Every structure is written in structure tokens, then in C-alpha cells.
């Protein structure tokens, strides 16, 4: 009886990790950071838009206002992206959606941004994930 139990546990120990790794392999291969350094969530020195947060909000407002808004109302798309070590922005994606039209606009805004000042840890430039809201509102012209 002991021998059968030991053999059963040995078989499970061999088969279980193989089945678990077979399930996790596609998730690992589809990870956008596969083969790269995963970006930091927080860095000692966080990345910064040229001129600071106020300039970034003004930039977003100017781009949103310059695009025709065929849809009324308001909403806010939340966009996540990575600030690379050279200051470029990569991997933009919507993490909170308003609608397809505004989400596309929000992604276009992030893609059009100039290079940022990259984040740093211990004096070394690092990749950092960053999240920003892009708000859309209809301007009412009341007289």
C-alpha cells in the first residue's frame, strides 16, 4: 500500500508541474514585456512631461479642443503607457473606456506627445508605467 501511494505521489509530482507550465506558457509568451525588463510602477524619480504636469494638462486640452467632437456629452478615458529610458512613449492602452471613438482619440493624443524626461532609480534611467486621464467635454456656448 505504501509503495502504491509513493508511486502515485511521484507521478503527480512529475505531471502536475508540466500541466501547470503548459497552461501558463501562452500567457507568458503573450506578455508584452517578454524578453524585456518589465517597467517599474514607481521610480525614485518619476517620468515627467516637458514642463511638468500643468503643461501636460494644457497639451491634452489643446489637442482635445482642436479635434472636432461629433459626440456630445463628456467622459474620461484612462490611458496607460510606458515611458522608455529615452523618454519615448510605448505600449499605450486604454484601461478605462468611454467609447470607441474617444478611446481612439485618447490613444492618438498619447502617441502624439513629445518625449518625456525618463524615470530613474539610483541615478540610472528606467522604464516606468504611467497612467493619465484624458477628459472629453462638450463646450457649451451660452449667450
Amino acid at each position: 500500500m505504501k509503495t502504491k501511494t509513493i508511486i502515485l505521489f511521484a507521478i503527480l509530482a512529475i505531471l502536475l508541474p508540466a500541466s501547470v507550465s503548459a497552461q501558463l506558457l501562452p500567457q507568458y509568451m503573450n506578455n508584452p514585456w517578454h524578453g524585456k525588463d518589465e517597467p517599474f510602477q514607481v521610480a525614485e524619480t518619476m517620468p515627467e512631461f516637458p514642463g511638468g504636469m500643468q503643461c501636460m494638462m494644457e497639451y491634452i486640452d489643446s489637442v482635445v479642443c482642436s479635434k472636432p467632437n461629433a459626440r456630445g456629452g463628456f467622459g474620461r478615458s484612462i490611458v496607460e503607457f510606458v515611458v522608455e529610458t529615452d523618454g519615448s512613449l510605448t505600449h499605450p492602452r486604454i484601461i478605462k473606456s468611454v467609447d470607441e471613438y474617444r478611446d481612439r482619440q485618447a490613444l492618438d493624443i498619447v502617441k502624439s506627445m513629445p518625449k518625456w524626461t525618463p524615470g530613474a532609480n539610483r541615478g540610472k534611467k528606467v522604464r516606468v508605467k504611467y497612467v493619465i486621464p484624458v477628459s472629453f467635454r462638450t463646450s457649451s456656448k451660452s449667450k
Side-chain angles (χ1 to χ4, degrees), residues 68-141:
N69 189 356
R71 300 170 188 231
F74 60 92
R76 182 173 28 188
S77 295
I78 308 292
V79 184
E80 176 187 74
F81 53 90
V82 175
V83 180
E84 298 291 342
T85 56
D86 66 352
S88 62
L89 308 182
T90 60
H91 304 294
R93 69 183 187 107
I94 300 295
I95 59 174
K96 181 180 179 286
S97 176
V98 175
D99 61 48
E100 188 176 329
Y101 175 76
R102 289 188 180 109
D103 292 346
R104 244 190 338 265
Q105 276 190 313
L107 289 173
D108 288 345
I109 290 167
V110 169
K111 290 175 185 176
S112 73
M113 284 183 172
K115 286 190 174 189
W116 288 37
T117 304
N121 276 342
R122 297 182 181 174
K124 181 183 176 194
K125 294 178 182 178
V126 294
R127 302 170 74 225
V128 181
K129 278 187 191 177
Y130 208 88
V131 177
I132 61 169
V134 178
S135 298
F136 300 93
R137 60 194 166 281
T138 302
S139 59
S140 59
K141 295 180 180 178

Side-chain angles (χ1 to χ4, degrees), residues 2 9 28 34 39 60 64 74 80 92 102 135:
K2 277 186 173 181
F9 282 128
Y28 176 73
H34 175 69
I60 292 171
V64 169
F74 60 92
E80 176 187 74
R102 289 188 180 109
S135 298

Side-chain angles (χ1 to χ4, degrees), residues 56-74:
M56 180 182 68
M57 299 312 279
E58 290 171 6
Y59 176 84
I60 292 171
D61 283 344
S62 70
V63 175
V64 169
C65 291
S66 69
K67 291 187 177 224
N69 189 356
R71 300 170 188 231
F74 60 92

